[in-house]
Every structure is written in C-alpha cells, then in structure tokens.
Amino acid sequence: MSELRFDDVTVRFGRGGRALTAVDGVDLTVPSGQVVGLVGESGSGKSTLARAAVGLAEPAGGQILLDGVPLRHRPGARRPLQMVFQDPYSSLDPRMTVGDSIAEAMPRGARRRDEVVRLLELVGLDADRVSAYPGALSGGQRQRVAIARAVAGQPDVLIADEITSALDVSIQGTVLNLVRTLQRELRLSMLFISHNLAVVRYVSDIVAVMYLGRIVEVGPARDVLGNPQHPYTKELLAAAPRRGSTALPPPDAVADAEPADPHHPPAGCRFHPRCPVGPLIRTDREHCLTLDPTTEADHRLHRAACHHAAGVLRAVGSNPPVLMELKEDSL
Amino acid sequence: MRTRWIAVLRTPVGAGAGLLLLGVLLLAVFAPVLWSHQANAIDTDHLLQGSSAQHWLGTDNLGRDIFYRVLVASRTSILLALLATAIAVVTGLALGSAPAILGKRGGRAAIAVVNIAVAFPGLLLALFFAVVFGVGAKGAVLAIGFAGAPSFARLTQTLVAGVAERDFIAAARIAGVGRFRMLVRHILPNIAEPLVVNATIGAGGTLLAFAGLSFIGLGVQPPAYDWGRMLGESLSGIYVHPAAALAPGVAVVIAGLAFNLFGEAVAKGLGVQVPRARWTSRTPEAVPARDSDAVLVVEDLQVSFPGPVTPVRGVSFTIRKGEIVGLVGESGSGKSLTALAVAQLIEPPGQVTAAELSFLGAPLLGRLPVRSTAATRRRLLGTSFAMVFQDPMTSFNPTKRIGVQLAEGAREHQGLSRRAAMNRAIDRLRAVRVPAAERRAHQYPHEFSGGMRQRAMIGMGLMGTPALIVADEPTTALDVTVQRQVLRLLETIRSEDDVAVLLISHDISVVAEICDRVLVMYAGRVVEDLPATELATGARHPYTRALLAAVPDLDTALDEPLAVIPGRPVDPARLPDGCAFAARCSFASDRCRTEDPVLVDQVACWHPQAQAEYSSFRTGQR
Amino acid sequence: MTTTVSAPVLTTHPWLAFAVRRLGRLAGSVLILVSAAFLMIHLIPGDPVRGALGPAAAQSLVDAQRASLGLDNPLWQQYVDFLHHLVTGNLGTSITTGLPVSDVIRDRLPATVELAVAAFLVAMLIAVPLGLAMGVLTRGGRRPRAELGFTSTAVVLAAIPEFLLAVGLVYIFAVTLHWFPVAGRGSVASYVLPVLSLAIGPAAVLARICRVELLAVLQTDYLRTARAKRLPAAAVYLRHALPNAATATITVGGLLLGGMVAGTVLVENVFGWPGLGSTIVSSIIAKDYPLVQGVVLVYGVGVLLVNLAVDVILALLDPRSTIRES
C-alpha cells in the first residue's frame, strides 16, 4: 500500500553527560506491501525506531517519510501508521470492552458495529467477544485483539514490536501465522521487530540488523541470512537455534566480551570490541578503531557497516547493479 | 468491579466501617432537624454543670445541653470537612492531571508547583491560607481545601504517570485519540479506584484538620459551632468539667475513623488478597539413596498452595554426577516451582511433600530433631547446592557490593576470614570469566551488565564445591548472543568439576543444545523423559512434538504455516479429569479424557507416537 | 562501565553534581517560601493595618503604621526591602507588642525545636523496632490475628490528631491520675505528655510502613538469593532485608518530622507551651502580620532543612540514588 522511509533518523534521550543516542542516523525503507524484519539485541534501538515512526518518540534529526511525504503527528488526528505492542497485558485498556477498544481506532464515520465484528472474525475471535473485557481473555487472544485494533485504523503501514515474545511458546505460532496471513491478504507494508532471528526469518521479505543504534546490515531475507556480511549478523545466526542441533556452537574468539554501553558507544566501528575478525583478534585491523564503517556502507553488499564486507560495484548504466566480490576476506 | 466493592462490604471490617460511616452521615443530615431546639435552649439555672439525668453530658457556660450540641454540631463539622475535601480533590485532580492535558511544558510547570507545595506539611499550608483568606469558617474551608490539594495532586500525578507508561495509552495515541478524551476515557477510569479510596481517607483527615483549626480559634466562629470549637472552648475547664471537652473530641475521632477505616477497608479489599494458610510439612519416610552416583533424587514431589491448587503433582527424577538435565515447559507447567521446591525455597503458604527428596544421600524434607543436624544440612546445602535465578537484575541485593555478596556464604559455611572470603570471591569471578575481577568485586550490582551479573551469580554458586547447580531460566532475561556465553559457561563448569546441572527453561532449543537429558513438563507432571539427542527425532509424547514444531527455527519451511497447538495451557486450579493435554491433543481418545496417564517407560501418554510417524509431523528440511 | 570520558568535573562527579542539584533546589524552594511569606500580606483583602488595629483606630495612626511598614511603597520596592531586611536578619517588628520579630523567635524557637526533636526520636524508637518485628512475625500471612490487631490499632492511632490525643492524655494522666502537669514547660515530667501526643500518631504510621516495607523486601528475588545461600535467618534479615527496608522508612520518617514541626502548633496550644506554635496562632488572631510572616518563614525553612537531610541520608545509603536521580 505505502512505502515507509527512515531518512537519517536520530533519536536522543536525556541531555548532557547522561544523554543517550538510541537511534543514530538510520536509513531504512519499508517498501510497499513488504515486510521488513528488524533484529537486534535489547538496547540496540529497534523499538525506539518504531516508536519514532508512530510519533511516540521525537526524532532529534532526519525525517520519516510515508510515500515521500514527511509524517506529522498531531494529537487527535488519524495516524497512517499503527502499531502492535509486545505486552498484550499492558496494551489493552482494562476498563474498556474489546469492541470499544477496536472501535476507537477506527476512522470517523465508519460503520463501527459491523466493522468490529468483521475484524474480530478476521483475527479468529468469536463475534460475541465484542463486549468482553481484556481481563477475560488469554494472552494470545489479547494479542489478536491488539492486532484487530491496529488493522481497524486502516493503516498504511503496520508496526509489530516483539509481538510474540510475551506469549507462551505454544501460542506464538498462532499469532505469527495470523500476522502472516493478514499481511498477505491486506497487502500491508510492515515493520516487524524481534530479537529472534528465526521468527524474523519466517515473517520477513527484507531483514535489517541493528546494533547500538545503527543498521549494520540490510537486504533481502534470503541473502542476508544465507550470505551474511557483517560479523554481528553472523554471530546472531550462530546463536539462533537450528533444528536438531544438540551441541552448543563453538565459542567465538571474543566470546566473553561485555556488551557496549550505549551511553558511550565505541569509536570507529561500534562492533569492534566484540568483533571476532576485528582489531582484538587481528592486530593489523587498526582502522576499525577509528574509521566509521557506516559512511561507505552503500558501496558494500547488504549495505554492511563493516570495513571487511564484500563490496558492490555499480556498473554504469547496468540495472540491476552487478554484484562483485571485491575483497575475499576470510570473514 | 462493582462486585468487588460489595465484597468489601461483606468483610467484617468493611461492614463495620461502612455502617459507622453511614451512621455519621445520617447524623449529619438529621441531627440539626431533630435536636436544634434542645441544643440551643438556654438554661440559666444550670450553668457549667456536670452530667445529670437532665443533661447527660452537662451544660456549657450558657446552660446549653452539651450532648445535643455535640449531635447537632455534626452537620457543620462534616459538611465543612466535605466541602474542604471537595476543594482539595478538584484542585488536586486539576493540578495532577495537568501534565496529561497541557503537554510537556505546561505539565512540567504543574509538576514543579506540586513538588514544592507538597514539601510543606498540610497544617503549615493551612495556616498560611488561613491568614490570606481570613479567620472564619469560609477561610478555613478554603485554607484546608487548598492545603490538601498538593498531596492529592501528587497522588494523581503518580497514578497518571503509572497508567501513562502502559502501552494502551500509546496505542490510543497512535489511534488518534485526543488528549482530553484520553484523560476521560482511558486515564481516569483506570485510576478512579485509588482516587476514590484516597479521597475517602482524605475526608477523614480533613475533618480532623478542620477540628484543629476551629480548636485553636481559626475556624468556625461564634455563634456557629462545630466539634473543634466546642473542644477548644471547654479545654480550659477540663479539670472541673472533663465531659464537655471529651465529648466533642470523641465525636471527632469517631467521625474521622469512620471515613478512614472505610477507605482503608476498601483499599485493602480492592488490593490483592494474600492467601493465608499454615506451613505444614509431612515428614516422609527416609529412604536410603539407591544410586551412589545420584546427586539429587526426587520421588513423587508435590507442591501445593491453599485454594487448594497443586501446580506440581508428583514429579520424580534423579540427577547423577556431572549430568545436565533440562526441565522444559510453558508458563504454569510447574517447572520453576519444582526447582524452588528442590532447593527448599518454597515459602509458606506453599507446601512441599515428596516420597523422597534427597541431596547427596541426605534427606531434605522434614523437620530435623536435633539442632546440630539442621546446621549440618544448612552447611551441606550452602556449600554443595548452588542456585541461579532467572532475573540477574533483581537477584542481587542492590545495596551490597558483588564481592561481599559472594563472600558472605563462604564466611558463613566455610569459616573463611573476611579477607580470605573476598579473595575466593575474586578468584571465582575470574573462574566465571568476569573481566577485571578484582575491580568488579568492589562494584555494586547496578554497575554490572545482565550477562556479567548472571556470571557473578554462577560464580556465587561456585564459592563452595557444588555438586549441583539448579538454574531457573538462567538465560531468559539475556540477549541471544549472551545466552550462549552463559550456557557455555555452565557446560564448562560441568565438564571441569563434574557438577550436575538442573536447567529449567521454556525454550526447548536451548535445552537441546546443552543438556544430556530432557524432562518435559505439562500441567505439573513430567510427561516425557528423553535424551537430548533424541529430541529432534525420538520424541513420543504429542506435546513434546508439538512444542518442537511450534517454535520456528532457522530451518522452518517458509511456505507453510507454523504448526500450532490449539487451545491454551491449562490452569493448575482447574485440571481436567484424565490427561491434562487431552483437550489440545489431536491423538486424544475417550480414555485420555477420563484416565490420567502416568510416566511409564519415559512417557506419560496413552498413545505415544512411534518414531516413524515423526516425519509427517514436521516438514522442515535442512 | 568504565568512565574514560573527560568531561567537566561538575557534571561527572556524582556527589558534586548531587550537591549542586540539591542545593539549587533548596535555594529555589527558599526563594518561593520567602516570596509566599511576602505576598501573604498583600493577598489579604482590604488594608492589613486597618484590620490589625481595628475599625476604631484613628486614620493618622493607621497611616503612620503603614508608613513604618513600608506599605505605601511600590510592590517591587517593598519586595526588595523585604529581601534586604531578611538578609540582614531583620524580620520587622511585631504590631501588637512592638518587639523585634527576631527577638520573639529567638525566645521561642528552642522550646519548639526541643519538642519536635524529642517527639521524632521517641516515634522512631517505638515505630521502627515494632514495625520490623511485626513484619517478621506476620510474613507470608503468618499470625493473621496479630496482623489484624496491629494494623487496626495503628490505623486508629494514626487517625487521632495530635491535639485530640493531647486532650485525652491530659485528661487521663494529668486530670485523673495527676502523674504529669497539665500544662507548661519546666521539669522533665512536663515534657512527657506533649512529646507523647506528638509522637504516637506518627509512630503508628511509621510502624505500619516499616512492616509493609519489610514484607515487600522479603518478597524480592535477592532475598530469595540470600536464602539460597543458606544464611541463618538472622543474617538474612539483618544484612539483606533491613538496609533495603530503611529507604522508605527514612523517607516517611522525614515527612513525619516535617509534619511534627507543624504539629507543634496545635500541641503547644493545648499545653500552653511557650514555643512558636502558640505564637503563630495568637498572632494570626491578632492580625500581627510581621510576626506571622516571621514564624511562617522559620517553620518553612525548618521543613525544607529536614527534607534536605532526608535526601542526603538516602543518597548516602543507596549506592544507586545519584544515578537514579539523573
């Protein structure tokens, strides 16, 4: 339906010595009708990026554009972006019936009653749940209501922030299935956020990896997961469960490193203190300590923020661009 | 919600307070109508008299009957108090909800005003306003009303802030709900209960404060009278005529208590009720350990809570030296309670029973007859039984340095000196690969990252010479990459020191990677016990299989929907007859719905699936 | 979390930053207090001097008094003068007695401070051990009857205002039993009833809070950790539970001390205690505004200092507090 674009978006919290740049100059596009999966560890800024998109956090720099037009968030106005939250126990007003919660998100003048029933059925809930309060529903059912509410706003783009991580293992699958079906039926553009690479892989067309406020790798899901360029993506892949694996993967060279402090991100490449192919292990790679790899990212495969990722050569006039392995680094 | 209010009135305290309040309010309405005449009748023959048959509580300096005056004064006292409360509530509500309406800048100003005003005691503010508004009933109402506003505003602010953080407010904002509607429709309904309760308690306080102002002569002025003024005027005569001073005092206290107690009863009734029960422990027959290699033997373990609910219903397993056993299940399956029960950390009113529960051959359950054996048992557990909890953020005491917290146990059980224990702590931090262990030992928990804290927690378990580490979801609160580090650490400890590990997790893929054996729990029972290597291919219980299939991994087929388990986990308070999983199981027969299967041949199922059927269940390919 | 960044000491050193921030807030509060005390007179409807001297006073007398109080100057000028006088320790002169307000305060302040401090100490000594003991005894729903008895007694005692308690105590211990004097300040015995009437209510509140706070701490994960270390029960309570229950106790204790400073106003009136409390009431009734202003300022500053002390103690006790506040 619509394209959502983050253009050099920066979000900061606090001021002075304790300031925290949660999102640092992020460029990311959610193409029309596609699902972009955003992975990263806690504190990487992925949720903040989502909250900035829906106007819950104020960007300190850059623009968020919907179909090329900057988004404006006025209180009381309809939002073209809707969001489903992580915790279904907190995201529904306990003093409002399910029907009222869904109806509130509808645009003015909609035929509310019929529409609410239709939406409930769309997410696989009985129509008689209209007058139920959230307290009477299970976590999975609540999450369905939250999805129905988000869809009720007739969004151009849907944002799903860790929507399965608060649910029981046996319930997660049903919610993931629902999201996938809805996205395909309604051809929604979607930003799907999760810390779980396997879940993201299952849902997404495009995968973006975030680390300490920056996108470090982005590309078609199959390519990124099949041929990861950034060492952090590789680490995430190694940590994700594979079917039938009965042994822990061998430890990385710098396995016991501490996660970086987001208040004081490292200079140069932000990943260098943990990087298994970085200056800690390979002393010749001193440039990682000082040179920021994001500036040249456009010239690398998957826009990887790593000096040692493979490059992309754009041949003049050729479209699509020709992919060429520039460096054969032993990544 | 209404039913909860009614439930409050059914409790003895609630009913008593409610009746008292009703009585006080009725008195305020009807007393002046009924007894004004008697209260104002001047009897010059009986000035300042003590109690008599004619005047129960005696008379005042004009010979007026004090008993009737106390009754009639109820209206003035309570009406003015309610007026002042109303002013306090309305002003407080306006100030307190201002941040939600005005947005950032206006909100900050309102918060600043409240912060400063709330720092001064109400009485001081009341005196200040009494000067400004002048001495008298009107001035006192305004003074007490405005003096009470800041604390009410603070309460409103706190409550609003608590609600505003929740996601449904964010969702409503995204849905385009305006600020005013947000306040009226979403915020106020969710804070109404505590506000009403506090306003009721506040009315009691206001009544007393008003009496105080009148008492010192700043409130109601003659010829009007309230309890405070009556008290103030009769105080000087307390030697000769105590009843005149005590009667209005008692009236003030009763009325104030009526409001207060009612508010407290409601507050308590609406809050969470703590179940109450006695801590009883069935002493089991001591059974000698059959397996000399066994570190932990658990036989028919039950954990129950008053209700009665039995979330753990007969769990049995044995852990041998150097073995890593995984205990997997969804929330409510009883896996964490099993861990806590094994570790003797279930607090009353919880109850633990077992046919056998022994650690290194020593029974853990039951009261020990001799004090010295109790100490021995404590030392055994303290040095050989280590516990790692789920949330490393909350499992360390925030006010003590990490090193001290590690050293504590060693000083207690191994008799080490302060210095020696600290050195051991540093050494153990090093052993769990905490960088810069010496410096880290002197830091507080909040200076550690989550992964490092979990390492320190494991290090704490290594202070002695553990034979068993019980780890309750040790990686759930950690990031994916850090999870592996912690798991690897546990595995290293196992292989180096032959320590047994009981790993509780909801994540079957985590368990598969590190464990030797996996116990799958459902509804308080172990439903399957199998080697980890057979998880992928050899699981026979339908639940184990469904659990494996429901979790996507990097090999899940993308073109098909995920396998799902219909229904939801059972509520331990409402267990069905027969197999607890029957309602969600596609293989369930009539027998499953009536007869509860027990763990036979490592699986508790009437229809265990053969390995050959497996491929049809799961279609992922590698 | 190594701090390698070299920023100005002012913002990096947590204690210095805390001191600067906290003293800044104190200064702001004092300024507002002073301004409120100044404005108080101007907010009174009508002519305060006419009000004070009564309708019968000659106009010339009123005018002279107005001039001597500086009430004819523009407001800002009066404000500046007021601040200037404050800085030099001049609080004006009492309209009714003609004595300097600062002298009155110097005479009467010690009696009030004695009363408040003694009551605070008594309340803490009763409440903290009692609350903690009740917490330990009634943890996890044990001894429900003791809990009910304790809680209801505490609720009732906390609901009785100090001046009523004072009247009750006077009746029992002075009028009926003759154990203590009815009023006045002199021997040690004369302190007992005023101190008790001030201390009992706050002690009840504090004991309840102590208990609830201890119960909350007993439920925490880190207390479970302490038990998992198999420490003896005494060590679990004394080393792990107590220090963490102290935070709320001190916060509330500070609020109560602030409240006691104010509570002296009423209690002094019951006992004819020669402190600031009886002064402020009589001066309000007599419309002796300079005196009211002075006493309000003293009370206000007292409360602010108590709050400051509480914040400092909390910061000292809790290693996270300076970080949390930013």
Side-chain angles (χ1 to χ4, degrees):
Chain A
M1 283 162 87
S2 299
E3 180 196 79
L4 176 70
R5 191 151 65 85
F6 297 88
D7 184 10
D8 199 20
V9 171
T10 297
V11 184
R12 279 197 195 91
F13 296 116
R15 264 177 286 179
R18 301 297 303 174
L20 168 70
T21 305
V23 173
D24 192 0
V26 161
D27 290 312
L28 182 66
T29 303
V30 181
S32 180
Q34 298 213 38
V35 182
V36 173
L38 187 58
V39 274
E41 57 196 17
S42 56
S44 62
K46 52 191 194 308
S47 288
T48 307
L49 190 67
R51 295 176 79 83
V54 294
L56 296 173
E58 195 68 38
Q63 277 189 314
I64 303 171
L65 307 130
L66 187 67
D67 290 328
V69 183
L71 281 170
R72 297 196 192 293
H73 303 287
R74 267 171 277 107
R78 189 187 87 88
R79 311 272 170 106
L81 272 65
Q82 290 293 323
M83 183 156 160
V84 183
F85 296 85
Q86 170 171 7
D87 182 4
Y89 291 87
S90 143
S91 69
L92 294 177
D93 187 339
R95 294 295 156 90
M96 233 185 192
T97 64
V98 162
D100 285 347
S101 275
I102 296 175
E104 190 179 60
M106 288 178 186
R108 307 272 177 269
R111 291 186 57 207
R112 304 202 165 198
R113 259 203 83 77
D114 302 350
E115 184 64 8
V116 167
V117 171
R118 191 185 72 80
L119 285 167
L120 278 179
E121 281 166 358
L122 189 68
V123 297
L125 289 174
D126 289 341
D128 59 9
R129 294 288 187 183
V130 169
S131 50
Y133 282 91
L137 304 182
S138 71
Q141 288 171 327
R142 286 174 193 228
Q143 202 59 305
R144 285 166 188 270
V145 173
I147 292 171
R149 176 180 57 190
V151 172
Q154 299 182 358
D156 299 321
V157 180
L158 185 64
I159 294 177
D161 187 6
E162 297 272 14
I163 55 170
T164 59
S165 53
L167 301 178
D168 250 318
V169 185
S170 66
I171 306 297
Q172 287 181 12
T174 52
V175 171
L176 282 180
N177 284 341
L178 173 66
V179 164
R180 241 169 59 134
T181 319
L182 277 182
Q183 189 269 330
R184 284 176 190 175
E185 276 176 17
L186 306 175
R187 273 180 282 131
L188 284 169
S189 317
M190 194 160 148
L191 181 61
F192 186 94
I193 297 168
S194 176
H195 67 279
N196 186 332
L197 199 57
V199 168
V200 163
R201 168 185 169 274
Y202 182 70
V203 175
S204 313
D205 303 305
I206 293 168
V207 168
V209 181
M210 206 163 170
Y211 184 79
L212 274 187
R214 291 187 174 165
I215 304 275
V216 294
E217 182 162 5
V218 58
R222 183 180 294 271
D223 297 354
V224 169
L225 301 178
N227 181 22
Q229 292 302 304
H230 198 281
Y232 179 63
T233 315
K234 295 179 184 177
E235 200 175 290
L236 282 180
L237 268 168
R242 302 203 81 99
R243 188 154 83 81
S245 65
T246 53
L248 284 172
D252 305 324
V254 279
D256 297 324
E258 284 217 51
D261 176 5
H263 290 277
H264 305 287
C269 172
R270 294 196 163 180
F271 192 61
H272 82 250
R274 279 172 66 178
C275 185
V277 296
L280 281 185
I281 309 299
R282 299 172 62 160
T283 42
D284 57 318
R285 292 187 164 172
E286 276 172 9
H287 50 281
C288 295
L289 298 172
T290 48
L291 281 180
D292 183 357
T294 46
T295 48
E296 296 285 302
D298 286 348
H299 303 296
R300 299 193 200 99
L301 199 55
H302 306 158
R303 287 185 23 222
C306 175
H307 295 299
H308 307 287
V312 179
L313 186 67
R314 278 170 207 279
V316 180
S318 82
N319 201 19
V322 182
L323 295 185
M324 267 181 81
E325 306 282 304
L326 279 189
K327 287 180 221 160
E328 198 42 65
D329 261 315
S330 53
L331 274 166
Chain B
M1 172 180 162
R2 189 157 298 148
T3 52
R4 286 201 291 161
W5 283 81
I6 291 168
V8 168
L9 288 178
R10 289 223 178 102
T11 62
V13 180
L19 276 179
L20 193 62
L21 184 60
L22 187 69
V24 168
L25 291 177
L26 286 178
L27 187 67
V29 174
F30 292 111
V33 185
L34 296 174
W35 301 302
S36 268
H37 179 69
Q38 289 94 320
N40 293 327
I42 295 175
D43 182 354
T44 43
D45 295 338
H46 300 92
L47 296 181
L48 284 172
Q49 282 210 332
S51 51
S52 61
Q54 197 183 350
H55 303 290
W56 288 0
L57 293 176
T59 54
D60 68 2
N61 53 359
L62 287 176
R64 294 173 296 199
D65 186 287
I66 287 176
F67 176 67
Y68 286 114
R69 285 177 76 75
V70 168
L71 290 183
V72 171
S74 62
R75 179 182 282 184
T76 315
S77 304
I78 288 169
L79 189 68
L80 293 180
L82 289 180
L83 270 178
T85 310
I87 291 175
V89 169
V90 170
T91 318
L93 210 54
L95 268 178
S97 55
I101 291 278
L102 297 178
K104 257 186 202 160
R105 207 162 294 163
R108 227 177 264 156
I111 289 174
V113 169
V114 172
N115 275 347
I116 288 168
V118 91
F120 295 98
L123 188 66
L124 216 54
L125 290 179
L127 287 179
F128 173 82
F129 285 119
V131 173
V132 173
F133 294 123
V135 170
K138 194 178 83 184
V141 166
L142 290 172
I144 289 182
F146 285 125
S151 60
F152 212 79
R154 166 55 66 81
L155 176 76
T156 310
Q157 269 175 9
T158 314
L159 292 171
V160 168
V163 172
E165 268 176 20
R166 307 200 34 201
D167 285 339
F168 68 83
I169 297 296
R173 270 176 71 186
I174 298 170
V177 173
R179 278 177 186 156
F180 186 70
R181 183 181 154 85
M182 184 83 83
L183 183 72
V184 173
R185 195 72 180 80
H186 288 285
I187 297 177
L188 289 183
N190 280 294
I191 62 173
E193 264 177 25
L195 282 183
V196 170
V197 168
N198 278 285
T200 312
I201 297 176
T206 310
L207 187 86
L208 301 170
F210 210 97
L213 271 200
S214 288
F215 170 75
I216 53 179
L218 299 179
V220 172
Q221 300 298 313
Y225 58 97
D226 69 345
W227 291 327
R229 212 197 110 217
M230 293 176 70
L231 183 65
E233 286 178 354
S234 53
L235 184 67
S236 50
I238 192 165
Y239 257 120
V240 286
H241 195 179
L246 294 180
V250 170
V252 171
V253 171
I254 289 176
L257 267 182
F259 282 102
N260 246 327
L261 282 180
F262 186 68
E264 297 273 356
V266 172
K268 189 163 185 185
L270 295 182
V272 185
Q273 288 263 334
V274 187
R276 293 202 176 94
R278 299 243 153 227
W279 167 241
T280 52
S281 172
R282 167 164 63 105
T283 313
E285 304 289 310
V287 184
R290 288 145 296 192
D291 190 340
S292 63
D293 236 10
V295 173
L296 181 74
V297 179
V298 180
E299 196 65 53
D300 195 19
L301 177 78
Q302 310 237 6
V303 179
S304 53
F305 289 89
V309 190
T310 310
V312 178
R313 314 178 287 148
V315 165
S316 306
F317 60 90
T318 301
I319 301 180
R320 286 173 198 82
K321 224 166 141 185
E323 193 180 26
I324 304 190
V325 174
L327 194 57
V328 193
E330 295 176 81
S331 57
S333 63
K335 57 187 191 305
S336 284
L337 284 173
T338 303
L340 288 178
V342 163
Q344 301 286 291
L345 290 174
I346 300 271
E347 287 278 292
Q351 230 185 83
V352 182
T353 60
E356 181 179 359
L357 179 56
S358 62
F359 175 62
L360 294 175
L364 293 184
L365 270 190
R367 202 172 275 275
L368 290 169
V370 196
R371 209 184 169 82
S372 64
T373 40
T376 314
R377 182 158 87 184
R378 216 180 59 219
R379 180 159 306 138
L380 174 73
L381 287 172
T383 52
S384 311
F385 191 116
M387 208 50 215
V388 179
F389 296 104
Q390 172 172 2
D391 191 348
M393 295 297 164
T394 56
S395 293
F396 275 106
N397 187 334
T399 57
K400 290 197 172 325
R401 296 174 201 277
I402 291 279
V404 173
Q405 298 194 47
L406 261 73
E408 197 178 27
R411 295 190 63 195
E412 179 67 35
H413 302 299
Q414 299 161 44
L416 295 186
S417 69
R418 184 186 296 264
R419 160 82 49 93
M422 185 52 103
N423 285 340
R424 170 97 180 140
I426 292 167
D427 176 64
R428 295 292 86 189
L429 283 177
R430 235 174 248 138
V432 293
R433 287 187 288 176
V434 169
E438 196 137 350
R439 184 171 56 84
R440 291 304 219 154
H442 292 95
Q443 287 184 330
Y444 287 100
H446 71 264
E447 296 171 273
F448 276 56
S449 67
M452 282 302 146
R453 266 190 238 193
Q454 203 58 301
R455 280 162 191 269
M457 181 62 77
I458 296 173
M460 186 187 283
L462 299 181
M463 286 299 287
T465 45
L468 175 67
I469 299 176
V470 174
D472 184 7
E473 302 259 12
T475 62
T476 308
L478 304 177
D479 282 317
V480 201
T481 50
V482 185
Q483 282 185 12
R484 304 288 130 164
Q485 299 174 11
V486 170
L487 291 176
R488 213 171 277 131
L489 178 64
L490 283 173
E491 202 175 48
T492 314
I493 291 166
R494 183 270 294 265
S495 53
E496 281 172 5
D497 302 326
D498 228 8
V499 178
V501 179
L502 177 62
L503 178 74
I504 287 89
S505 177
H506 69 279
D507 189 341
I508 201 161
S509 58
V510 161
V511 164
E513 285 181 345
I514 172 175
C515 294
D516 304 316
R517 204 149 55 87
V518 177
L519 307 169
V520 181
M521 276 191 85
Y522 190 78
R525 287 268 172 88
V526 172
V527 295
E528 188 161 13
D529 175 351
L530 75 170
T533 46
E534 287 179 23
L535 255 186
T537 51
R540 288 182 296 158
H541 198 287
Y543 177 64
T544 314
R545 296 186 160 204
L547 208 53
L548 281 162
V551 186
D553 58 33
L554 288 180
D555 304 302
T556 305
L558 292 178
D559 40 6
E560 293 174 30
L562 289 170
V564 297
I565 310 177
R568 52 161 130 168
V570 286
D571 178 352
R574 267 173 284 169
L575 285 171
D577 292 336
C579 175
F581 187 61
R584 304 174 75 185
C585 180
S586 51
F587 305 102
S589 62
D590 287 344
R591 186 183 188 190
C592 299
R593 281 180 274 272
T594 50
E595 278 180 71
D596 200 359
V598 287
L599 193 68
V600 175
D601 192 18
Q602 266 80 53
V603 62
C605 180
W606 297 124
H607 307 290
Q609 304 299 300
Q611 299 186 5
E613 295 162 48
Y614 190 74
S615 55
S616 67
F617 206 88
R618 175 135 186 167
T619 41
Q621 69 268 15
R622 186 156 196 180
Chain C
M1 288 192 211
T2 47
T3 35
T4 48
V5 201
S6 57
V9 185
L10 201 70
T11 50
T12 45
H13 197 279
W15 283 105
L16 206 57
F18 171 74
V20 168
R21 207 166 44 229
R22 194 56 190 79
L23 288 176
R25 207 200 298 164
L26 179 70
S29 302
V30 168
L31 190 67
I32 288 172
L33 174 71
V34 167
S35 310
F38 167 75
L39 280 176
M40 185 163 68
I41 288 190
H42 298 274
L43 287 172
I44 299 164
D47 182 353
V49 175
R50 169 61 71 189
L53 297 179
Q59 187 60 39
S60 58
L61 190 62
V62 171
D63 290 345
Q65 185 68 263
R66 282 187 67 86
S68 80
L69 285 172
L71 288 175
D72 296 326
N73 295 333
L75 200 62
W76 66 267
Q77 172 104 47
Q78 290 185 43
Y79 188 54
V80 171
D81 288 348
F82 182 73
L83 289 182
H84 182 250
H85 287 154
L86 267 187
V87 173
T88 54
N90 174 4
L91 293 167
T93 40
S94 160
I95 296 179
T96 44
T97 62
L99 290 171
V101 170
S102 49
D103 287 2
V104 177
I105 289 172
R106 198 173 306 132
D107 275 359
R108 300 201 147 227
L109 183 62
T112 298
V113 171
E114 271 174 23
L115 199 56
V117 169
F120 176 70
L121 292 179
V122 169
M124 290 296 264
L125 288 179
I126 298 175
V128 175
L130 183 67
L132 295 178
M134 285 311 294
V136 171
L137 292 177
T138 62
R139 70 189 188 277
R142 289 175 177 87
R143 300 185 180 80
R145 271 192 220 120
E147 195 263 311
L148 187 67
F150 169 77
T151 308
S152 16
T153 314
V155 168
V156 171
L157 284 181
I160 303 178
E162 51 277 75
F163 70 97
L164 279 180
L165 203 60
V167 172
L169 290 176
V170 164
Y171 176 67
I172 297 170
F173 294 104
V175 175
T176 312
L177 297 173
H178 300 289
W179 288 3
F180 303 107
V182 175
R185 170 176 175 245
S187 63
V188 175
S190 70
Y191 280 77
V192 173
L193 292 184
V195 166
L196 277 185
S197 19
L198 259 181
I200 287 178
V205 175
L206 196 59
R208 263 187 90 191
I209 284 168
C210 264
R211 173 180 163 268
V212 169
E213 206 54 37
L214 185 71
L215 289 182
V217 172
L218 290 179
Q219 302 246 318
T220 56
D221 287 352
Y222 58 83
L223 224 80
R224 192 180 55 187
T225 307
R227 280 196 292 267
K229 272 188 262 185
R230 319 293 163 183
L231 300 176
V236 171
Y237 290 126
L238 292 178
R239 259 185 256 154
H240 290 276
L242 262 190
N244 287 290
T247 315
T249 309
I250 289 166
T251 312
V252 175
L255 280 177
L256 292 178
L257 180 55
M260 279 181 195
V261 172
T264 53
V265 174
L266 290 163
V267 171
E268 285 182 14
N269 273 280
V270 176
F271 291 98
W273 197 260
L276 284 179
S278 33
T279 310
I280 191 171
V281 172
S282 56
S283 57
I284 289 175
I285 292 172
K287 301 191 173 161
D288 188 346
Y289 295 118
L291 190 53
V292 174
Q293 258 180 349
V295 180
V296 162
L297 273 178
V298 171
Y299 270 117
V301 169
V303 170
L304 288 177
L305 289 179
V306 169
N307 292 346
L308 177 72
V310 168
D311 282 359
V312 169
I313 293 172
L314 286 181
L316 285 172
L317 272 186
D318 189 346
R320 293 163 305 175
S321 56
T322 49
I323 287 138
R324 257 192 319 201
E325 212 179 301
S326 54

